[in-house]
Amino acid sequence: MCERGTGGDVNSNVLISHSTGDAQLDKAVWQWLSWDKNQKTKEQIENLLQNGKHKELRDRLCCRLTFGTAGLRSAMGAGFCYINDLTVIQSTQGIYKYLERCFSDFKQRGFVVGYDTRGQVTSNCSSKKLAKLTAAVLLAKDVPVYFFSTYVPTPFVVYWENGAQIKSPHDKEIIKCIEECVEPWNGSWNENLVDTSPLRQDPLKKICDSYMEDLKKICYHRELNMQTNLKFVHTSFHGVGHDYVQWAFKAFGFQPPIPVPEQKDPDPDFSTVKCPNPEEGESVLELSLRLAERENAKVVVATDPDADRLAVAEQQNGCWKVFTGNELAALFGWWMFSRWKENCSKDADVKNVYMLATTVSSKILRAIALKEGFNFEETLPGFKWIGSRVKDLLDNGKEVLFAFEESIGFMCGTSVLDKDGVSAAVVIAEMAAYLETKNLSLAQKLTEVYETYGYHISKTSYFLCYDPPTIKRIFERLRNFDGPQSYPKFCGDYNILHVRDITTGYDSSQPDKKSVLPVSKSSQMITFTFQNGCVATLRTSGTEPKIKYYAEMCALPEQSDRAVLEEERQKLVEALIENFLEPDKNGLIWRSA
């Protein structure tokens, strides 16, 4: 049993005069108003109750945060399914209970807490405040806490004891523990405890120094970096990345990149961009591209607000090419393998070398691996699967050079078992500086890589759908397309060779018809392999109301007509949307340009 805590004051008149008539919802409202000590989020729930907004109350209070592709994620706001003071306290209490059960020496080992710069004024919620409440829960239980004294990139904060993100079965067990410990304990709301407790240490300098030192392991041309005339612009998108990218460039011997002044400092409102996601391309990179033109900088690197992802743009004949995640992976894959080949010992065995990607990402690493003789593996979407598998490989004496996911997440080397925008930014800078000495741009090298290993022409996008039953109906139709338990054999005019359904564990390409990748019943994901060499996946997002689609033409090196391949892929994507997703019939909202 978990101990009981002391709740906040409840306005009983509000509860009595505004009963919803739903016992489950009434209980949830009572719990929220009893336990929440944040006046802003408490008032949000009270206002919904007084205004009779029972559906919204039910949406906010009758479901809980769950683990998606990357941790417990949601928007900030009031309610048990949002990120706020109360749900972070509840989550930390559950994690404490689980860690206490898993590690007899937990109170000797301690817990690391970091934060970024995001926040929401209307909920009186900020990443730093949530971090202080996290620390309070643990410090009140005499657990040492390594609490960073300032904001840090996500990769600075280690995860499970293996250094990778939490995955099954830990996520399910943690959720159970959270549900057993929903009432805040005594001391859990004492956010100032982190400022006075002798059990709190600041790991910032040690971690930062060791991270920058580790970076040098993947620096191969320091002298060249020191001499290059190439100029770089960096935007941190109002997030945490500025200082850390500056220091990373210094560690590699570069002059510091030119920062975008309007986006250099933290701003939880992201006031200069409509969407603080560098994955959205040129439309959100406007300020950095214009600065680069004024400064005559050829390459722009953009880290997302928590600095674990990276976008790259390169100036070409007065225009800008913004690389996709899959295109950058082709460059990183070539670079990391060619540097390994040049620098490895004479007795190094290429069969001991690995690269990894999530299954919805480009197959370009597979093509490089087949030609060069190293190993390539796929995982389920999410870096939690990559990080865990990389740790297994390292423990078995293997060497992992690179891993990625198409949503601009890259892991260069193995100092951090997660995607890392800071290290990726400086590696791409070294690559660009090296290529300039060969009179090549990044884009020209990308063409060379595709001509050597085969063009991999991909398209990734999504539809919005706010109705879960519609999403379920779309995928169930695909599972019963030509009759019960019968997947489609054609998509328009395109012949389907194989179908893999991660949700059910079916894979027609396997002798036993069972998927090699783990079953993931909590999300929808079906992959179609076509006779023309295209691979297409439809899946739901773990954190957003989206149906994502991924399509890639995987050509052999001798199929070098890019225009023909792009036209074929485009026609197949159109057939996929029209025949399988049926956006008009299902009321799907197209991604805005």
Side-chain angles (χ1 to χ4, degrees), residues 576-590:
L576 192 77
I577 291 169
E578 181 185 337
N579 292 281
F580 289 176
L581 292 179
E582 302 178 302
D584 294 338
K585 177 182 170 183
N586 290 309
L588 306 182
I589 302 166
W590 293 72

Side-chain angles (χ1 to χ4, degrees), residues 218 220-221 329-344 348-355 364-365 367-376 399-403 411-413 427 431 434 445 449 452-453:
I218 51 173
Y220 298 99
H221 302 281
L331 288 167
F332 279 123
W334 158 74
W335 177 256
M336 296 304 286
F337 182 72
S338 63
R339 296 313 91 192
W340 177 86
K341 204 171 176 180
E342 275 193 17
N343 293 279
C344 66
D349 185 358
V350 73
K351 293 185 174 62
N352 209 42
V353 170
Y354 283 74
M355 290 193 193
I364 185 62
L365 296 187
I368 299 174
L370 282 169
K371 188 157 187 173
E372 301 294 350
F374 63 86
N375 300 280
F376 169 70
E399 191 170 359
V400 181
L401 303 182
F402 174 66
M411 186 193 88
C412 300
V427 168
M431 191 193 308
Y434 170 86
K445 185 63 202 183
V449 170
T452 304
Y453 301 106

